[in-house]
Amino acid sequence: MKKILVCIKRVVDYNVRVRVKPDESGVMLDGLKMSVNPFDEIALEEALRIKERGTNAEVVAVSIGVADTQQQLRTALAMGADRAILVQTDQPIEPLTAAQTILAVVRKENPDLVLLGKQAIDDDANQTGQMLAALWDRPQATYASKLELDGAKATVTREVDAGLETIEVDLPAVVSVDLRLNEPRYVKLPDIMKAKKKPLDVVSLESLGVAPAVWLKAVKTQPPAQRQKGVMVKDVAELVDALKKKGLI
Amino acid sequence: MSKILILGEHDGKTLNPSTHKCVTCAKAIAGAEITVLVLGADTAAVAAQAASIHGVHHVLRVDRPENAHPLAATFAPQIAALAPAYTHVFGPSTSFGKDLTPRVAALLGVPQVSDLMAVEGAHRFRRPIYAGNAIVTVEADAARILVATVRVASFEAAAATGGSAAVASRTLDVVLPTHTRYVGSRSGSTDRPDLQTAARVVSGGRALASAENFKLLYDLADKIGAAVGASRAAVDAGYAPNEMQVGQTGKIISPEVYIAFGISGAIQHLTGIKDARTIVAVNKDPEAPIFEVADLGLVGDLFQVVPEISRILGA
Ligand SMILES: Cc1cc2nc3c(=O)[nH]c(=O)nc-3n(C[C@H](O)[C@H](O)[C@H](O)COP(=O)(O)OP(=O)(O)OC[C@H]3O[C@@H](n4cnc5c(N)ncnc54)[C@H](O)[C@@H]3O)c2cc1C
Ligand SMILES: Nc1ncnc2c1ncn2[C@@H]1O[C@H](COP(=O)(O)O)[C@@H](O)[C@H]1O
C-alpha cells in the first residue's frame, strides 16, 4: 500500500438545518457553517490508520469545489493527510462529473485505494464512489464497516439491508465508508499549525480535461410537507386507548 | 413512449417488495411499458413472481452462476448491455439498488437521479435533499436513458397478483470481471416482520441503555406484530444490530404506526420516519424534538411505560 486517495467534500455542517429560499430557487447557504462531509472524515481516518499501521502509505486528500474548500482540505491536512489537491470550480458538481474528475486525479496519482464517503449529506446522492469504480473499471466496496488489507487484495464488510455482507476485492479498488467503520480523531491545535505548511495544490477542471456538465436541471426547491402537531396524552392507558381507536394496535 | 426496465431485487427465492414499489413508481409514468429484470443463478421462481405483479408487461431472466450473489461489479455490465433498449432504468433505494444503479449509469455515461419520491412526468421527478429538509424537482434530459433509484418509502407496493407478463430468458455476451468476489453474509433474520415493509414498528434509542433492555421492545413488538427499529446511537452503542437503524443513513420507512421509545428526534433520524402514517413518541424529556413531529406523545420513563403497555395489552 503506497498511496491512498481520500475524497473530501465541503458540505453544510450536519448540525445546521437548511431552509429553502422563498423564491424556490434553491436552499439558503449564505453564512452557514461548512464542514467536511462526515463520511469523508471517516474515510480519511481509515486512511490514516492504514498509514499508521506501518504501511506508511501516502495519504492524499482531494476535493472538487469553490476556493473556500481549502478550509476543509486544511482540516484534512491537520487530521494527518500528507498533501491535498483542490480542483477549484464555482460550478455545481454532480456525482458523474465528480467521478470523472476524481478519475482524472486517479490517472495521475495511481493510488492503490480510493476511500470516500457513502454519501454526501447535502444532495444525499450516494453515487460518486460507484461511478468512479465503473469509469475506472475497478472493484467497488460500498458501505464499508470493516476494511482489512492483505497484499494485493482487501476484504470488506459492508452494511446492507439484511445485515452484513463480506466481499473480497483486488486492489486498486474504491471503498465507500459507512458510519461505523471508525471514529474520526479530533484535530489538535499544533496539527493545525503544521497543516499550514503541508502542500495544497490548486488545479482547474480544464487542466484535468473535465468539462462539467449540468446533467439535471433543478426546476424548483420546496420545503417538505409539514406534519400536523399532534396531541400529548397524560398516561399509558390514554395512549393505548388512542392507538386502539385508530386501529393501530 | 416510456420503456422502463426495473432491476428486480431478490434472494434467489423471493422477490423483494422493493420491486413491487418500483413498479408502482413506473406505473405513474403515463403509458409506460414495464419490464422487470432478474439476474441470478436460477431465477425461475422469482421471475414467476415478477410476472404476476399487477402492471408488469415483461420479465427478463439472465441466469448464470456468476449471478448467484448481487455484486454491482458483475451485475452492472449485464444491465448496461440491456439498457439501450429502454428509456428508463429503475432500481430500488435499498442497499442493493443504491450500490448497483450508479455503476450502471456511469457505464452508460448518464447521470442518475437518486430517491425518486414523486413522478411529475416521464423525465420530471421530486426527490429529497439535505436529509429531507428540502424537496427538489429535477428535470432530466429526455434524449438520454434515465437511471434512477426509487425511494421505496414513497410508494405503495403494486399488487403481487393480477399480472401475467411473458417471461423471457436472455443470454448476454458480456465478459464479467473477477476482481470482486462474494465471501459471505450475516443476517440477523428473525420471525418478526421486515422493518422496511412492516405496518407497525417499535423503535428504541440510546435510552434503552443495553442490548438486554431491547428485549422489552422485542416483547412488545411480538405482542402487536411489529418490526423493531433503532436509532443510530443505539446501534453504535451495540444495543441493536446495524440492519435495525432507521434514518438518513439507515432505513427510510413508512409504516402505519411508528412508536419511538427514548429517541430524541435528531433530523437524521426523523428523515427515516417522515412517511409513517402515525408517529408515537415516548420520552422523559418534554422538550425532546421528536414531540414536534409526533401525532401522539407521552412524557414518561420508557422502563415504566413499555411494561405497562404490554400489561394492558395482556399476555
Ligand atoms: C452523517 C450522520 C448521519 C446520521 N444518520 C443517522 C440515522 O440514520 N439514524 C439515526 O437515528 N441517527 C443518525 N445520526 C445520529 C443523530 O444525529 C443522533 O445522534 C441520533 O439519532 C441520536 O439517537 P438517540 O435519539 O437514540 O439518542 P439521544 O439523542 O441521546 O436521545 C436519547 C433520548 O432518550 C430520552 N431518554 C433518556 N432516558 C429515558 C427514559 N428512561 N425513558 C424515556 N426517554 C428517555 C432522552 O430524553 C433523549 O431524548 C446521524 C448523524 C450524522 C452526523
Ligand atoms: N465535489 C466533491 N469533492 C470531493 N469529493 C466528493 C465530491 N462529491 C462527492 N465526493 C465524494 O463522494 C462521496 C459520495 O458523494 P455523493 O455521491 O454525492 O453522495 C462523498 O462522501 C465524497 O467522498
Side-chain angles (χ1 to χ4, degrees):
Chain A
M1 182 69 37
K2 289 199 201 66
K3 195 188 281 185
I4 305 172
L5 207 65
V6 182
C7 301
I8 301 288
K9 189 175 188 192
R10 171 185 164 94
V11 297
V12 175
D13 189 84
Y14 80 96
N15 276 314
V16 175
R17 192 181 211 119
V18 300
R19 291 186 199 289
V20 305
K21 292 182 186 165
D23 68 358
E24 303 191 339
S25 65
V27 297
M28 292 190 274
L29 295 176
D30 287 352
L32 295 188
K33 182 179 178 205
M34 304 298 285
S35 298
V36 174
N37 183 41
F39 292 97
D40 300 353
E41 278 188 13
I42 295 168
L44 176 56
E45 176 66 34
E46 194 65 17
L48 297 173
R49 290 186 190 185
I50 294 168
K51 176 192 175 93
E52 290 159 2
R53 233 180 271 144
T55 59
N56 214 26
E58 183 183 26
V59 176
V60 183
V62 186
S63 191
I64 310 150
V66 297
D68 280 346
T69 306
Q70 290 204 20
Q71 295 161 2
Q72 281 66 44
L73 286 173
R74 287 290 168 205
T75 304
L77 292 168
M79 272 179 76
D82 296 297
R83 59 188 171 88
I85 301 168
L86 172 60
V87 185
Q88 192 177 317
T89 174
D90 289 331
Q91 312 261 95
I93 297 297
E94 291 179 23
L96 183 56
T97 306
Q100 290 167 339
T101 309
I102 298 162
L103 178 69
V105 175
V106 161
R107 297 272 187 235
K108 289 196 167 172
E109 297 283 343
N110 293 310
D112 306 289
L113 184 64
V114 178
L115 283 169
L116 37 58
K118 83 162 178 182
Q119 81 196 63
I121 61 163
D122 46 8
D123 275 344
D124 287 327
N126 194 331
Q127 300 175 11
T128 307
Q130 298 90 312
M131 288 183 162
L132 170 65
L135 300 176
W136 192 16
D137 199 13
R138 292 305 307 164
Q140 70 187 47
T142 51
Y143 324 141
S145 66
K146 193 171 171 199
L147 170 60
E148 290 162 300
L149 296 170
D150 174 16
K153 59 185 200 293
T155 303
V156 184
T157 303
R158 309 177 52 230
E159 293 203 1
V160 294
D161 289 346
L164 296 172
E165 178 188 275
T166 306
I167 61 172
E168 190 182 82
V169 296
D170 294 337
L171 298 176
V174 177
V175 176
S176 89
V177 310
D178 217 317
L179 294 170
R180 278 171 284 276
L181 182 62
N182 62 50
E183 193 139 348
R185 66 196 62 191
Y186 285 103
V187 172
K188 294 188 242 36
L189 197 59
D191 298 328
I192 296 174
M193 303 311 290
K194 259 194 270 171
K196 291 191 174 141
K197 296 200 198 76
K198 290 185 178 175
L200 193 166
D201 286 341
V202 180
V203 301
S204 66
L205 282 170
E206 295 70 38
S207 74
L208 293 171
V210 178
V214 178
W215 305 93
L216 300 170
K217 194 170 103 200
V219 182
K220 59 186 172 196
T221 305
Q222 297 167 306
Q226 289 304 316
R227 290 188 78 98
Q228 299 282 346
K229 198 162 166 44
V231 294
M232 299 300 288
V233 294
K234 62 174 194 316
D235 57 25
V236 177
E238 203 184 316
L239 178 66
V240 172
D241 225 39
L243 287 170
K244 278 193 172 152
K245 276 211 186 84
K246 290 180 163 210
L248 293 172
I249 57 175
Chain B
M1 197 193 57
S2 299
K3 292 186 72 181
I4 303 180
L5 184 69
I6 292 174
L7 309 180
E9 176 172 3
H10 63 88
D11 60 6
K13 295 188 192 76
T14 315
L15 201 61
N16 191 291
S18 66
T19 310
H20 305 71
K21 294 183 169 206
C22 287
V23 171
T24 302
C25 177
K27 281 202 230 176
I29 294 174
E33 184 181 317
I34 301 173
T35 302
V36 175
L37 170 66
V38 284
L39 303 176
D42 174 8
T43 59
V46 290
Q49 291 163 29
S52 68
I53 299 177
H54 188 263
V56 173
H57 301 98
H58 313 275
V59 174
L60 277 185
R61 296 174 58 184
V62 180
D63 287 19
R64 57 196 282 181
E66 298 95 323
N67 288 347
H69 299 285
L71 294 171
T74 44
F75 274 27
Q78 300 175 68
I79 297 160
L82 292 166
Y86 299 87
T87 57
H88 298 62
V89 176
F90 282 0
S93 65
T94 56
S95 58
F96 161 79
K98 290 190 286 197
D99 180 47
L100 175 58
T101 51
R103 191 158 181 130
V104 174
L107 291 179
L108 296 170
V110 302
Q112 170 179 304
V113 185
S114 295
D115 296 321
L116 303 187
M117 58 183 287
V119 174
E120 292 195 346
H123 293 87
R124 188 169 154 135
F125 307 94
R126 282 157 61 82
R127 64 173 299 260
I129 54 175
Y130 290 97
N133 282 308
I135 308 296
V136 62
T137 302
V138 294
E139 218 164 61
D141 182 356
R144 295 168 186 276
I145 301 173
L146 189 127
V147 178
T149 56
V150 172
R151 187 173 179 277
V152 289
S154 297
F155 297 90
E156 303 272 338
T161 55
S164 55
V167 179
S169 285
R170 289 287 297 268
T171 41
L172 296 172
D173 187 18
V174 179
V175 181
L176 300 182
T178 55
H179 53 47
T180 307
R181 298 168 294 271
Y182 174 84
V183 177
S185 46
R186 179 207 55 66
S187 81
S189 58
T190 65
D191 296 338
R192 267 173 226 111
D194 173 53
L195 183 55
Q196 262 155 319
T197 48
R200 296 165 182 172
V201 174
V202 169
S203 192
R206 193 196 310 272
L208 267 292
S210 72
E212 187 71 10
N213 289 338
F214 254 85
K215 291 208 183 101
L216 284 171
L217 299 191
Y218 299 140
D219 288 346
L220 175 59
D222 292 341
K223 276 212 169 77
I224 62 171
V228 182
S231 72
R232 174 186 167 190
V235 175
D236 282 358
Y239 309 157
N242 66 283
E243 62 267 25
M244 275 170 50
Q245 183 175 318
V246 172
Q248 180 186 16
T249 51
K251 287 179 179 147
I252 313 264
I253 58 175
S254 51
E256 290 294 313
V257 59
Y258 183 80
I259 313 179
F261 293 99
I263 292 179
S264 60
I267 53 173
Q268 295 89 0
H269 187 81
L270 299 185
T271 307
I273 60 170
K274 272 186 186 148
D275 295 298
R277 195 73 62 83
T278 299
I279 296 175
V280 181
V282 176
N283 194 301
K284 70 176 183 191
D285 174 9
E287 305 294 322
I290 192 145
F291 287 128
E292 284 161 34
V293 300
D295 301 284
L296 286 170
L298 174 63
V299 176
D301 183 339
L302 75 93
F303 293 107
Q304 280 156 15
V305 173
V306 178
E308 202 175 330
I309 298 176
S310 289
R311 192 176 49 74
I312 295 178
L313 293 178

